[in-house]
Structure formats: structure tokens, C-alpha cells
Amino acid sequence: MSLGKYLLWALIFFIAGLTVLYSGVNRAPFRQAPPMSNPAHQHVLVPADIDIMTARAGSCLGGVLRPGTDHQGGYDIGA
Amino acid sequence: MEHNKVTAGIALAVSLILLILPRIIPVCTGLAPDGSPMRCHYAYQAEFLVVLLAVVIAGSLFVLRTAEARLLAGFMLLLVGLIIIVLPQDWAVGICFRGMACEKTTFFTVAGGGLLAFTGAAVTWLNYQKYRNGHGAK
């Protein structure tokens, strides 16, 4: 085989290798995590949030909402 | 001439084995708590690219005709073998903690990388002798 021909085959081989790497065939597949097990994908109300919501619901007439003053970046209830 | 064929054959065989090693002896397949792959995954993605290069260099030993060209290819094979050994080390990319699946893969990878580096050194040495005596003759 001539060097020119070899270089062509080597290039094809290398590009095929890159394709294999991209598609993930070169490694064992990842174990699937249970659905929605990642805490970042869950919507959880912590007790502090529940307190705020309860307070908002209970004092909707008297409370004044000021934007961006609570730690959540939402509205806070004024006196 | 025969020595070159034997060393080139060994280098090509070792490179091909290293290429499919993570399929035979898989690294950690679990995910980190944040959902990203573990450290060893990235180390072996890098290993795959380097081993692709090793296959091409090892194959070129069958095609190259002059001692000068084989000398260079052998030296490249030596360096690539050293990179294969270095990548799983903690001060390079690294792998997971002791006792995990990737430790077994790393053992065979380092052994293969060592064999590849040794073969590259042998090719370099054999062709350096010819190069010194005949200045690049076959």
C-alpha cells in the first residue's frame, strides 16, 4: 500500500472514530437514574415558603406587596 | 525488516485492544449526584482520542519504507504510550476513588500504554541503528 493511500484510509478511520466517540458507542451506556430523582428537577415547597404563602393568603387585604425584597426575588409582604 | 513487522504488529494489536478496552472492562457507568458523568468518563473519552492516533501511527509502520520515517513514527508511538499512561493520573484528568470500576480499567490501560511505549522505544532503537549506519536506508 502506498503512503498516499494509507493516509486516506487513516483519515477515514479517524473520522469514523470521532463519530463513534460522538455517538457514545465506545463506552458502556450509563445506568439510567430513576425519573425525576434529581433534586434540581423537583418542585419542593420548603416550610419557609409555606409560611409565606399562608401569610399572603391570610393578609391579602392588609398586606402591601413590595417587589424583590424577599430571598426568593419575588414579593414580600409589608406591614 | 522482520523485527519491524513484529514490533509494528504488536503496536497495532495493543492499540486496537486499548481502543475497545472500555467496552470490555467498562469504567463507572453511574452518574454523579448532580447528574453529570464521573471523572473517569472524561479520562476515557480523552484516552479514546489518543488511542485512535496510536492506531494510525502503528499502522503507518507497515507502510513507511525508510528508517528515518520509521524512527519518527516509533518515537511518536513512545510519546503516545506515555500520554496513555499519564491521562488517568490524578494530576492529569484522573479517575474516581479507589475501589470503583474504573480502577480495573485503568490497570489494563496503564499496562497497555506501557507496552505501547516500550514497543515505540524498540522501533525507535532498531531504526536509529539503521539510520546511523545508512542515513535513512531501508
Side-chain angles (χ1 to χ4, degrees), chain A:
Chain A
M1 186 189 279
S2 69
L3 187 60
K5 215 172 189 177
Y6 177 74
L7 291 179
L8 185 66
W9 280 111
L11 186 67
I12 292 168
F13 174 79
F14 198 81
I15 291 169
L18 290 182
T19 311
V20 164
L21 185 74
Y22 179 76
S23 59
V25 181
N26 63 317
R27 58 174 169 76
F30 290 120
R31 285 198 305 267
Q32 290 294 317
M36 302 303 284
S37 68
N38 190 347
H41 295 154
Q42 290 176 345
H43 184 242
V44 177
L45 287 177
V46 294
D49 289 338
I50 295 169
D51 290 345
I52 290 169
M53 289 176 74
T54 311
R56 280 178 185 168
S59 60
C60 59
L61 292 175
V64 177
L65 297 176
R66 292 194 301 269
T69 51
D70 69 342
H71 69 283
Q72 299 290 324
Y75 288 90
D76 201 1
I77 300 165

Side-chain angles (χ1 to χ4, degrees), chain A residues 1-4 6 10-11 13-14 16-18 20-22 24-33 38-39, chain B residues 19 22-23 26 28-31 33-35 37 41 44-45 48-49 52-53 55-57 59-60 63-65:
Chain A
M1 186 189 279
S2 69
L3 187 60
Y6 177 74
L11 186 67
F13 174 79
F14 198 81
L18 290 182
V20 164
L21 185 74
Y22 179 76
V25 181
N26 63 317
R27 58 174 169 76
F30 290 120
R31 285 198 305 267
Q32 290 294 317
N38 190 347
Chain B
L19 202 63
R23 288 297 298 191
C28 307
T29 52
L31 297 172
D34 64 348
H41 165 76
Y44 279 88
Q45 294 291 85
F48 185 81
L49 285 172
L52 268 184
L53 201 60
V55 173
V56 172
I57 296 171
S60 75
V63 181
L64 296 172
R65 294 281 168 256

Side-chain angles (χ1 to χ4, degrees), chain B residues 6-66:
Chain B
V6 170
T7 46
I10 293 170
L12 190 61
V14 171
S15 308
L16 289 172
I17 290 168
L18 282 174
L19 202 63
I20 56 168
L21 189 70
R23 288 297 298 191
I24 304 167
I25 308 168
V27 294
C28 307
T29 52
L31 297 172
D34 64 348
S36 62
M38 291 191 200
R39 202 176 176 190
C40 59
H41 165 76
Y42 298 107
Y44 279 88
Q45 294 291 85
E47 287 277 13
F48 185 81
L49 285 172
V50 174
V51 173
L52 268 184
L53 201 60
V55 173
V56 172
I57 296 171
S60 75
L61 289 170
F62 287 104
V63 181
L64 296 172
R65 294 281 168 256
T66 64

Side-chain angles (χ1 to χ4, degrees), chain B residues 78-102:
Chain B
L78 168 66
L79 297 184
V80 165
L82 292 179
I83 292 173
I84 289 170
I85 296 170
V86 162
L87 276 175
Q89 307 304 319
D90 281 339
W91 46 274
V93 181
I95 56 166
C96 305
F97 301 109
R98 284 186 69 83
M100 296 186 80
C102 56

